[in-house]
């Protein structure tokens, strides 16, 4: 399901653009302030979700369930949820109005500056505006798809010329970032609400001598996934390449995702209209220390498995 936002035009910093401060700090996923039926809250932002997802355990005066829905995570895991109505929804000072959301107590609740962070805004907002995340300066911009000469602070043409870019392609009903992993083309979902990049373990040829003797259990929301922390020798987008990229190599997932760690320290422009994502080199990070907040959390635990004889 997908619901489109209608964002009002704003006079500053340029015609049709909206500037917001993000709530988090270094290592945190992008978090923006919202108002839900008069309740101040924070929400993550990630293009890997098709809708607004929210935890209904905290009192936000949501409507009674409109209907039951099924959430599919990682292409593998199934969880029950329900559709609700948010009668009054604001993003910063932008009045979005009434909108539906997928609600469940399955999702985590974090706190930042005493504000509850209750959910995630998905790709529906990326489809109606360009989203520019300026990680080093802790800023987020909603920009019109069309280029605007009055946009003196962030001119999109100038950014695109200076930035690296990757193509966006459709993968399992989501837009994915086309990359090369160790020379092989792969389409990875873009999940800024996930801490680290993760890929199916079967994508990487492992050397038994370098594989740890224990598995790493990654708690992906409430669903444990077995795997271990490894690295990708070469992760490339066209002419851009990074080497020895920390990666979660997991069993039980059907696709890979580029996590927040890849974007840390960069300016990142999501241009769904042109089917591109643009990103700068890493820059000095002016943000304060964060709390490692992410909508999708990963935790590692060393476990050993031994056979039992009768």
């Amino acid at each position: 399901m997908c619901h489109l936002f209608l964002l009002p035009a704003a006079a500053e910093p340029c015609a049709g653009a909206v500037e917001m401060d993000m709530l988090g700090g270094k290592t945190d996923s992008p978090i923006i302030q919202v108002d839900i039926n008069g309740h101040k809250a924070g929400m993550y932002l990630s293009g890997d979700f098709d809708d607004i997802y929210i935890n209904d355990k905290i009192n936000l005066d949501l409507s009674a369930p409109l209907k039951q829905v099924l959430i599919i995570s990682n292409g593998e895991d199934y969880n029950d949820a329900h559709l609700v109505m948010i009668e009054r929804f604001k993003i910063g000072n932008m009045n979005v109005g009434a909108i539906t959301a997928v609600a469940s107590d399955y999702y985590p609740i974090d706190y930042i500056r005493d504000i509850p962070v209750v959910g995630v805004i998905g790709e529906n907002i990326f489809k109606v505006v360009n989203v520019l995340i300026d990680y080093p300066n802790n800023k987020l911009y909603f920009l019109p798809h069309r280029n605007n000469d009055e946009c003196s602070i962030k001119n999109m043409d100038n950014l695109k010329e200076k930035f690296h870019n990757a193509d966006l392609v459709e993968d399992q009903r989501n837009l994915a970032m086309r990359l090369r992993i160790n020379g092989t083309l792969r389409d990875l979902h873009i999940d800024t609400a996930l801490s680290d990049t993760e890929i199916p373990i079967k994508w990487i040829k492992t050397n038994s001598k370098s594989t740890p003797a224990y598995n790493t259990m990654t708690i992906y929301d409430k669903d444990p996934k077995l795997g271990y922390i490894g690295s990708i020798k070469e992760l490339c987008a066209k002419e851009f390449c990074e080497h020895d990229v920390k990666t979660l190599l997991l069993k039980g997932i059907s696709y890979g995702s580029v996590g927040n760690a890849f974007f840390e320290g960069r300016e990142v422009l999501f241009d769904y209209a042109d089917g591109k994502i643009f990103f700068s080199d890493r820059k000095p990070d002016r943000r304060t220390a964060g709390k490692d907040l992410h909508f999708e959390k990963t935790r590692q635990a060393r476990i050993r498995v031994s056979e039992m004889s009768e």
Side-chain angles (χ1 to χ4, degrees):
M1 67 194 62
C2 182
H3 306 281
L4 296 181
F5 291 98
L6 297 176
L7 297 181
E12 297 295 339
C14 61
V18 175
E19 175 186 348
M20 296 183 67
D21 291 319
M22 294 193 291
L23 296 180
K26 293 179 181 177
T27 74
D28 293 332
S29 288
I31 304 170
I32 56 177
Q33 186 168 319
V34 301
D35 186 287
I36 301 171
N37 295 326
H39 299 277
K40 185 185 296 185
M43 296 191 82
Y44 295 98
L45 193 70
S46 172
D48 196 36
F49 292 80
D50 63 345
D51 215 319
I52 295 176
Y53 289 80
I54 193 168
N55 190 307
D56 60 357
K57 196 172 182 178
I58 189 169
N59 179 27
L60 297 170
D61 292 321
L62 303 173
S63 73
L66 303 176
K67 66 178 180 179
Q68 295 298 117
V69 295
L70 188 65
I71 301 170
I72 304 174
S73 304
N74 303 318
E76 301 280 342
D77 304 310
Y78 297 82
N79 294 279
D80 292 324
H82 48 271
L83 198 67
V84 298
M85 177 67 71
I86 300 174
E87 295 291 346
R88 302 184 310 279
F89 186 57
K90 292 176 64 177
I91 301 176
N93 61 0
M94 300 182 298
N95 184 20
V96 178
I99 195 165
T100 56
V102 179
S104 171
D105 62 2
Y106 172 81
Y107 297 115
I109 295 178
D110 294 307
Y111 285 85
I112 185 166
R113 305 177 195 172
D114 296 324
I115 298 173
V117 185
V118 298
V120 63
I121 298 172
E123 69 172 1
N124 35 20
I125 198 168
F126 293 86
K127 289 181 176 180
V128 294
V129 290
N130 289 333
V131 178
L132 174 63
I133 302 178
D134 183 350
Y135 279 87
N137 295 299
N138 219 28
K139 296 281 188 181
L140 186 142
Y141 301 84
F142 297 122
L143 303 168
H145 283 314
R146 65 188 183 280
N147 188 37
N148 191 321
D149 292 335
E150 296 176 24
C151 201
S152 58
I153 293 179
K154 298 291 179 184
N155 183 286
M156 283 187 282
D157 279 351
N158 287 342
L159 290 180
K160 291 176 181 180
E161 289 176 5
K162 296 175 182 177
F163 285 10
H164 309 288
N165 74 85
D167 294 325
L168 296 177
V169 296
E170 190 166 332
D171 180 69
Q172 299 189 21
R173 298 178 65 184
N174 288 77
L175 284 183
M177 189 174 176
R178 178 148 288 176
L179 300 170
R180 296 191 312 278
I181 296 178
N182 299 342
T184 301
L185 275 179
R186 299 286 189 184
D187 297 332
L188 277 75
H189 291 208
I190 306 165
D191 194 355
T192 50
L194 177 68
S195 55
D196 294 289
T197 294
E198 63 177 33
I199 62 173
I201 198 170
K202 62 186 178 183
W203 285 8
I204 299 292
K205 293 180 180 179
T206 57
N207 184 332
S208 59
K209 293 182 180 180
S210 63
T211 301
Y214 58 86
N215 284 320
T216 294
M217 180 171 284
T218 299
I219 308 300
Y220 189 97
D221 293 331
K222 295 179 181 177
D223 300 311
K225 300 296 179 189
L226 288 177
Y228 63 91
I229 300 173
S231 65
I232 294 172
K233 290 183 179 178
E234 189 176 70
L235 181 65
C236 300
K238 298 184 178 179
E239 81 291 344
F240 169 86
C241 285
E242 275 195 334
H243 298 88
D244 299 320
V245 179
K246 177 188 172 185
T247 308
L248 301 176
L249 309 174
L250 300 180
K251 299 177 182 178
I253 61 174
S254 61
Y255 57 81
S257 298
V258 180
N260 191 61
F262 177 84
F263 301 108
E264 283 279 335
R266 306 184 194 276
E267 291 178 271
V268 186
L269 175 64
F270 299 87
D271 188 347
Y272 276 38
D274 288 341
K276 299 279 187 183
I277 179 171
F278 299 85
F279 56 96
S280 70
D281 291 324
R282 297 191 196 278
K283 299 182 178 182
D285 200 328
R286 299 178 177 87
R287 295 176 295 169
T288 58
K291 297 181 179 179
D292 206 25
L293 297 177
H294 309 281
F295 186 65
E296 297 175 295
K297 301 177 186 301
T298 55
R299 300 182 181 90
Q300 286 73 46
R302 295 186 177 187
I303 62 173
R304 292 184 182 273
V305 179
S306 60
E307 294 182 359
M308 295 182 64
S309 58
E310 296 180 358

